[in-house]
Amino acid sequence: MVLVVTPEFSCRTNATNNEEAAAKAAAVDADTGAPTIFSCRTNATNNEEAAAKAAAVDADTGAPTIFDKIIAKEIPASIVYEDEKVLAFRDITPQAPVHVLVIPKLRDGLTQLGKAEPGHVEILGQLLHAAKLVAEKEGILDGFRVVINSGPSACQSVYHLHLHVLGGRQMKWPPG
Ligand code: AMP
């Protein structure tokens, strides 16, 4: 499942899809809450892959994901916004001039949006509102995109729910 919230719709273009195999690989530990990053991106960096390997060490133990380590300030991140429940930081492999990830500080079973329960409604709303605050702070309120990759078919690579806030350039549609 892919959730895309975007203020623009007239930007259709051809999309390529060469990410399915990598996404299926990412599904292996999807339900374990394990820390995983898989290379769905054709332009994945060594940093991303190294972080993935480090995060995967405790894949089946329920140990902190790489995002938990960012929350705990165990690894550095460029923090854009923070409140009691939410943390937003710049993506290490930006896909747009502005590319910020918005995450719940408490994972609480939300390894992916597909695991959302009624009890998660409040935090889900807070995450969306935080995405708007990030867009405002980054000066992209005139046009930005919010993406949630949920599950292997959507090429999710980190199993701690996160919203991608993208902007600062003209977005295309479909997203691929
Ligand atoms: P997704 O593929 O939707 O699960 O997105 C995961 C995102 O996390 C990717 O866009 C990665 O570039 C990003 N990412 C992975 N590790 C880090 C990190 N240490 N700091 C910031 N972003 C990261």
Side-chain angles (χ1 to χ4, degrees):
M1 172 171 56
V2 181
L3 172 67
V4 178
V5 182
T6 178
E8 49 86 10
F9 272 105
S10 59
C11 302
R12 303 300 195 263
T13 187
N14 290 332
T16 58
N17 188 357
N18 58 1
E19 300 183 336
E20 290 180 11
K24 289 195 169 73
V28 172
D29 296 315
D31 291 337
T32 67
T36 52
I37 302 174
F38 292 86
S39 184
C40 263
R41 280 70 177 163
T42 52
N43 62 345
T45 64
N46 288 337
N47 279 348
E48 194 175 357
E49 291 176 359
K53 283 182 184 140
V57 169
D58 298 319
D60 293 318
T61 67
T65 69
I66 195 163
F67 289 174
D68 288 316
K69 291 175 182 175
I70 289 173
I71 293 165
K73 314 284 199 252
E74 291 172 6
I75 62 172
S78 176
I79 294 172
V80 175
Y81 171 82
E82 181 170 14
D83 63 29
E84 193 187 342
K85 300 279 178 66
V86 173
L87 184 67
F89 52 93
R90 297 193 193 284
D91 196 294
I92 203 168
T93 311
Q95 303 301 314
V98 175
H99 187 171
V100 175
L101 301 175
V102 181
I103 69 172
K105 286 185 173 176
L106 185 64
R107 187 170 54 186
D108 188 29
L110 279 174
T111 52
Q112 57 180 295
L113 185 60
K115 300 291 183 187
E117 302 285 353
H120 294 128
V121 166
E122 185 176 353
I123 186 63
L124 291 172
Q126 288 170 326
L127 290 166
L128 266 183
H129 184 247
K132 180 264 180 179
L133 296 178
V134 165
E136 191 170 43
K137 206 166 179 178
E138 293 293 303
I140 56 169
L141 264 186
D142 61 312
F144 63 101
R145 183 170 289 170
V146 179
V147 175
I148 299 173
N149 297 320
S150 183
S153 297
C155 228
Q156 182 177 0
S157 61
V158 178
Y159 282 87
H160 181 134
L161 177 67
H162 50 281
L163 284 61
H164 297 257
V165 179
L166 297 147
R169 65 168 167 80
Q170 179 61 57
M171 296 293 161
K172 307 295 183 188
W173 195 264

